[in-house]
Amino acid sequence: MTNAAITGNPLRDPKKIARKYISIAIFAVIVLYIGKIIILDGTDWERLGSVEEVIKTVLFFVPDFAFFPETVVPLLETLLIAFWGTALAVILCLPIAYMAARNVTPFPWITYPLGRCLIVLSRSTHEIIFALIYISALGLGPLPGILALASRSLGFMAKTTSEAIENASPGPIEAMEALGANRFLVFFYGVMPQIFPIFVGNVIFQLDINIRRASILGLVGGGGIGLMFAQVMQNLQYDRAGTIVVGITSMVIIGEFISNRIRARLV
Amino acid sequence: MAAITQQVYVDYREAERRASLIKFVAALLFIAFFFWSIDVLNIPIERVFSMFGRLGHMITERLLPPDMAFVGETRVMDSIIETIQMSILGATIGTLITMPLAWLAAWNVTPSRRFLYPMARAIIVVTRGMPTLMWAMVLVAIFGFGPFAGMLALVKETIGFAGKLMAESVEAIDMKRVEALRATGANEFDVLFFAVIPQVWANWVGIIIYNWDAQLRNSTILGFVGAGGMGLYLREQISILEYHTAMAIIVVIIGLVVISETVSHHLRRRLY
């Protein structure tokens, strides 16, 4: 690649080049070793059989579009779960963003680390884990799914919102403080109007991502299309599973397309 | 003059009233939508109010404290190592597939706008649209239990995730260098290696590191459907209602994600 041109360059330090190639070689050896473990040793190739047999299994998944009408209601449920999960996150993210923004946080020594901690916790926990915890407490159904989605998107939304608050112009905030407005008035009339376009963009972005997340919640009992998918997989009705995958994929693609259009117009 | 002012005032009041009417109707529709959703989703209202108590009980009594001794067992340790291995292998193979694909899917330098561009775009869009966990279940049905199916799921996820970012960074390059090369009679590959890659390389390395971080996050959960890694033990412990050990796995997952995020953050910061 470009390296052929670089080695011929007398201005380049040969030591640096040597170090670069050695690190690439070490990385390659590690990857090949892992590849040997996972692909050669970790897979039962005899059970898998020949290429034809694999292709035969793949062909079981060819979608059966006669099944499609039955997936419409679960798909709608998934959309509703995604919508209400996002709506709940919108409400809950404001106080956390308020705590985690350095310039407006009420008690910098307590609320700032608390807000940051909640953001990290929410961002680094998979929605399936949240769903498992809520399901073990509340039982199966869409309600734990909604709560899991809300907990999951909370972190990202609070993070972007608090960054927007930190970047907000201090002028209106100081002007309102000079007039004697209290913290909440300052937040709602001094900060919110400034961050509103960014906030709306993030909400739409999260709604789009949450459709994708909501579709798998059913695998652990969180309602929606995932439940149906888990059932048909268990019954080995692979053609129906194929239909569901096609349905979800098209729904997610349409959602992403709409969300990109709206956000492009907002900015 | 006065009549005009009067007219403006009346118009203003009229517009204000109409706006408030629209707001009122929108609020009513929203409330109706709320109750309709509750009906469609079959959400038990009486449970919503008692949920905090049960959730608190669940977290304080049954989830905490995590039984960390479980993580020390050899099989669990092995599965954690397997998770990391899966993420590295999946991200690497995925990246090797994604790089040419991103070149084909960038409108400004794609070699063929008629055939290869729509094809590459379609691959990226479809792989982005499929939820990873479902894809992993399908792969497990085809290739059997084990990390191989999980690795393929991560490859798919990398194509969708990194492909979009990489193609976007190619579309943002300075076209003057491309045109200068084309003027000397360079073919498409010369343009790729001497005009495109030197411009996007730093950006691409950042995306590759970020993608590995994202794949490690995904790989922790893949075992849930039998696609290798520690997720298997999470499912096992949950299904036998051993919440303390399940919580230990969750703690390890969160720890892994936080560590990988820190590593990727520092690597990327050193890059720029």
Side-chain angles (χ1 to χ4, degrees), chain A:
Chain A
M1 298 209 316
T2 45
N3 299 328
I6 292 167
T7 27
N9 189 340
L11 296 173
R12 287 283 180 125
D13 180 7
K15 255 188 206 163
K16 256 188 188 169
I17 293 167
R19 212 187 303 155
K20 187 175 159 190
Y21 278 104
I22 289 172
S23 51
I24 289 176
I26 292 173
F27 184 71
V29 168
I30 292 174
V31 168
L32 287 177
Y33 176 67
I34 295 174
K36 180 185 166 293
I37 294 176
I38 288 184
I39 299 177
L40 297 181
D41 305 348
T43 316
D44 192 354
W45 289 104
E46 267 152 37
R47 209 203 118 253
L48 209 55
S50 59
V51 180
E52 289 95 66
E53 281 175 59
V54 172
I55 291 174
K56 234 166 88 188
T57 326
V58 173
L59 287 181
F60 285 142
F61 282 96
V62 170
D64 163 26
F65 285 104
F67 182 64
F68 187 72
E70 286 178 52
T71 65
V72 171
V73 174
L75 279 175
L76 181 73
E77 261 181 43
T78 303
L79 271 180
L80 285 179
I81 291 173
F83 179 84
W84 288 110
T86 318
L88 198 59
V90 167
I91 298 166
L92 294 177
C93 90
L94 282 178
I96 294 179
Y98 179 71
M99 288 198 291
R102 209 180 290 255
N103 54 348
V104 294
T105 189
F107 310 103
W109 288 105
I110 307 164
T111 51
Y112 180 74
L114 181 69
R116 286 276 140 189
C117 200
L118 284 175
I119 288 176
V120 169
L121 202 65
S122 151
R123 270 164 56 81
S124 54
T125 313
H126 201 276
E127 57 268 21
I128 290 283
I129 295 175
F130 276 125
L132 284 171
I133 293 175
Y134 288 128
I135 285 168
S136 59
L138 305 172
L140 305 178
L143 179 63
I146 290 173
L147 291 174
L149 279 190
S151 319
R152 176 77 159 126
S153 8
L154 201 61
F156 179 82
M157 288 187 34
K159 184 170 180 260
T160 47
T161 311
S162 67
E163 276 163 9
I165 294 173
E166 282 173 359
N167 291 330
S169 148
I173 301 171
E174 279 166 17
M176 288 195 66
E177 277 169 357
L179 282 171
N182 64 28
R183 280 183 185 284
F184 295 102
L185 286 176
V186 170
F187 186 69
F188 280 107
Y189 294 100
V191 179
M192 275 304 276
Q194 292 193 50
I195 63 170
F196 198 67
I198 299 176
F199 187 69
V200 172
N202 280 325
V203 170
I204 293 165
F205 179 61
Q206 280 299 306
L207 189 59
D208 153 32
I209 289 185
N210 276 343
I211 296 175
R212 197 172 320 191
R213 288 177 181 155
S215 57
I216 58 165
L217 285 176
L219 299 182
V220 294
I225 187 81
L227 192 63
M228 189 178 229
F229 184 77
Q231 281 166 359
V232 297
M233 284 299 280
Q234 207 123 58
N235 299 342
L236 306 180
Q237 293 165 317
Y238 289 154
D239 50 344
R240 295 187 167 189
T243 320
I244 293 174
V245 169
V246 170
I248 290 172
T249 309
S250 26
M251 189 169 79
V252 170
I253 290 173
I254 293 168
E256 195 177 342
F257 179 74
I258 295 173
S259 127
N260 281 344
R261 272 294 169 85
I262 296 176
R263 277 186 298 144
R265 203 175 285 179
L266 269 178
V267 178

Side-chain angles (χ1 to χ4, degrees), chain B residues 73-213:
Chain B
E73 282 177 34
T74 330
R75 56 182 187 135
V76 182
M77 275 314 230
D78 284 350
S79 78
I80 294 172
I81 293 170
E82 191 179 79
T83 307
I84 298 169
Q85 287 175 337
M86 249 163 56
S87 76
I88 293 175
L89 193 64
T92 312
I93 296 178
T95 310
L96 292 180
I97 298 172
T98 308
M99 285 195 286
L101 212 59
W103 171 51
L104 299 178
W107 180 250
N108 52 354
V109 294
T110 180
S112 134
R113 289 187 178 177
R114 273 276 189 71
F115 301 107
L116 293 176
Y117 173 80
M119 247 172 61
R121 274 279 145 179
I123 292 175
I124 291 175
V125 167
V126 169
T127 50
R128 258 178 91 74
M130 270 184 202
T132 319
L133 223 50
M134 277 189 187
W135 179 243
M137 276 175 93
V138 172
L139 286 170
V140 166
I142 296 171
F143 293 104
F145 286 93
F148 184 65
M151 188 212 74
L152 287 181
L154 294 181
V155 168
K156 169 251 145 203
E157 190 67 11
T158 301
I159 293 172
F161 181 75
K164 183 175 177 247
L165 296 174
M166 283 181 165
E168 272 170 8
S169 87
V170 173
E171 280 176 350
I173 62 169
D174 178 11
M175 286 302 283
K176 279 182 194 148
R177 287 175 72 170
V178 176
E179 280 158 22
L181 266 178
R182 287 235 168 94
T184 63
N187 65 26
E188 294 295 341
F189 289 101
D190 291 335
V191 169
L192 171 66
F193 289 127
F194 297 104
V196 177
I197 287 184
Q199 286 192 63
V200 296
W201 189 244
N203 217 328
W204 275 17
V205 173
I207 294 170
I208 290 168
I209 296 169
Y210 183 40
N211 172 62
W212 166 73
D213 172 19

